[in-house]
Amino acid sequence: MHRKLARLAVILVVFSMVLGMAGSVVRAQDKIKVGLSFSDFATERWKNEEILMRKLLEDKGYEVLSQEANHDVKLQNDQIDNMVSQGVAALIIVAEDGDAVSTAVNSAADAGVLVLAYDRLIKSPNIAAYLSFNNVEVGRQQALGVLTALDIDGGEWTADNPVKLVKLGGSPTDNNAILFRKGQDEVLQPYVDSGVIEVVADQWVDNWDAVNALKIMENILTAQGNEIDAVVASNDGTALGALQALKAQELAGVVPISGQDATADGCNSIVKGELTVSILKDIRNLSPLAVDLIDQLLKGEDIPDLQEYTMAELTNDDTQEGSVMAYFLPVVQVNADNVYDLVVASGFQSYDDVYRDIPEDERPPRPALPTAEATEAAS
Ligand code: GAL
């Protein structure tokens, strides 16, 4: 009798475990899937944004699928196709190539999947929306930061003694690189026209790759016999690559140079007096915006903040047709004067990362906790 009861108890326990497991399987299957597709994780920001968006989506009850394509256009399309066949309802995509990704995006849209172009434009009329920063302003601030450091209007620079300037664009397959260049040129061109700036080299850095930037800069320095006065580079990664080449010629800290993203290494270079200017794009605001938008779109809610932009204006290319609903966040210039307040006190980068290798007695005091005001000021 005793044994019979014990066996029954075991059967009951096993039965309830099986039921419980089945229950949780059903619950997992019930979850709506959202896919994240990244061009690469070589640039610091993308991994941070993956962590942020995954958490925010999971908190809202979504199941998250995520892939990074290691700069491989075909791989990114395959990964997107694959996530569509796994049943995602929506995709948030950082495109390696805004043209080539359209193939996968169009078939995802045909399958009823909502596609959000994240930070970089996707040149397809089938995207639900595009969220980014004011990318033309990024370029303006990069050029302004460099020209301010040169004291361009101070009298030293004239058509007889022009600034010898290097332009280092980003990846040519990234539409943002075109917009950064547009903003840079708005600021630089009047000086080029008056002869006060001479552009001695103008190159694009495939994949935003720091090693490519280093090689390009080495070649330019050789070709120009080291006679370089300024570099307008388009992000921190490529600027730090170029700075290695400048350093080898003892020109780091002498030649003003711009970056972007306020990365840990970029800000460390600013406090060391090597990188002149970076641009803070507060991803702590972009990622929640993207997640909220996807959530609202999936629930069929209204999205009042978006505005319609033509593809032509977003690409700086009149031949592009159609329009897209988009929203752009503001950007701020980061330099030696404001890096502490904007980046460190706001908690965007850690104190230890930014002041790495700086002697204790040359560091500012460690901030208490990121204050709400500092976070606000940075956004
Ligand atoms: C751009 C992005 C920048 C930078 C760069 C390299 O599209 O807007 O913030 O990270 O790519 O990945």
Side-chain angles (χ1 to χ4, degrees):
M1 182 66 191
H2 228 89
R3 229 188 259 162
K4 264 191 184 166
L5 265 182
R7 206 183 303 147
L8 187 65
V10 169
I11 289 170
L12 276 176
V13 167
V14 170
F15 188 64
S16 61
M17 275 170 65
V18 169
L19 268 186
M21 274 162 59
S24 59
V25 167
V26 169
R27 273 195 298 279
Q29 277 174 352
D30 276 343
K31 285 192 175 176
I32 296 174
K33 292 178 188 161
V34 174
L36 306 177
S37 169
F38 291 88
S39 56
D40 64 281
F41 278 160
T43 298
E44 179 188 275
R45 60 173 291 193
W46 304 131
K47 184 65 197 165
N48 292 338
E49 280 155 285
E50 194 238 12
I51 294 168
L52 249 167
M53 287 196 281
R54 176 187 286 279
K55 160 116 188 36
L56 292 167
L57 284 162
E58 286 175 353
D59 285 351
K60 285 190 186 294
Y62 293 103
E63 184 184 339
V64 177
L65 276 57
S66 176
Q67 299 277 321
E68 70 97 3
N70 197 23
H71 290 301
D72 183 330
V73 176
K74 187 177 176 308
L75 179 61
Q76 184 167 35
N77 279 359
D78 290 347
Q79 290 173 337
I80 291 170
D81 290 346
N82 192 266
M83 288 193 276
V84 171
S85 46
Q86 288 185 64
V88 291
L91 282 160
I92 299 178
I93 300 177
V94 177
E96 171 65 25
D97 180 325
D99 282 302
V101 79
S102 294
T103 318
V105 165
N106 290 340
S107 39
D110 283 349
V113 177
L114 283 170
V115 177
L116 175 64
Y118 186 89
D119 192 73
R120 297 177 178 166
L121 183 64
I122 295 170
K123 294 183 201 158
S124 158
N126 295 322
I127 54 174
Y130 169 42
L131 288 187
S132 188
F133 293 90
N134 185 339
N135 294 306
V136 178
E137 186 63 19
V138 168
R140 286 189 201 111
Q141 293 302 322
Q142 290 170 325
L144 281 171
V146 168
L147 294 195
T148 305
L150 282 169
D151 192 16
I152 189 76
D153 298 318
E156 179 191 352
W157 306 107
T158 61
D160 293 331
N161 179 39
V163 174
K164 294 194 161 64
L165 183 126
V166 174
K167 288 184 186 175
L168 277 190
S171 164
T173 61
D174 174 356
N175 187 61
N176 285 351
I178 312 294
L179 301 178
F180 304 147
R181 173 56 63 86
K182 183 182 179 200
Q184 294 162 2
D185 282 347
E186 270 181 30
V187 173
L188 299 175
Q189 201 54 44
Y191 294 97
V192 174
D193 292 344
S194 65
V196 174
I197 289 178
E198 183 192 341
V199 178
V200 294
D202 181 352
Q203 308 242 357
W204 298 81
V205 183
D206 283 344
N207 289 347
W208 293 96
D209 186 77
V211 177
N212 285 347
L214 163 64
K215 287 184 193 144
I216 290 171
M217 198 65 216
E218 279 173 349
N219 290 339
I220 295 171
L221 285 164
T222 306
Q224 298 300 320
N226 286 353
E227 304 264 307
I228 300 291
D229 299 309
V231 182
V232 175
S234 295
N235 82 340
D236 284 3
T238 54
L240 295 178
L243 264 167
Q244 276 190 50
L246 289 170
K247 203 174 239 171
Q249 305 305 320
E250 292 174 1
L251 291 173
V254 178
V255 171
I257 177 167
S258 59
Q260 173 184 195
D261 290 335
T263 58
D265 289 344
C267 292
N268 180 244
S269 181
I270 288 179
V271 301
K272 287 178 176 162
E274 295 179 347
L275 184 66
T276 311
V277 57
S278 186
I279 309 295
L280 173 61
K281 296 159 69 172
D282 203 330
I283 60 164
R284 295 171 300 184
N285 298 329
L286 189 67
S287 289
L289 210 65
V291 167
D292 286 349
L293 185 66
I294 282 295
D295 190 42
Q296 286 165 321
L297 286 170
L298 286 173
K299 290 178 177 153
E301 293 172 4
D302 281 349
I303 38 169
D305 285 340
L306 298 193
Q307 265 184 39
E308 193 167 347
Y309 292 82
T310 65
M311 279 286 179
E313 64 187 312
L314 292 178
T315 53
N316 202 24
D317 172 1
D318 288 340
T319 66
Q320 295 284 332
E321 288 172 2
S323 61
V324 58
M325 298 306 285
Y327 188 79
F328 302 101
L329 287 168
V331 300
V332 202
Q333 190 187 123
V334 179
N335 51 46
D337 294 334
N338 65 13
V339 61
Y340 181 82
D341 288 333
L342 286 185
V343 176
V344 182
S346 79
F348 188 77
Q349 296 291 357
S350 80
Y351 178 88
D352 292 315
D353 283 347
V354 173
Y355 294 100
R356 196 184 65 228
D357 305 332
I358 304 287
E360 280 299 328
D361 57 351
E362 289 170 29
R363 294 180 179 198
R366 187 178 286 273
L369 278 176
T371 62
E373 299 86 71
T375 312
E376 176 97 342
S379 62

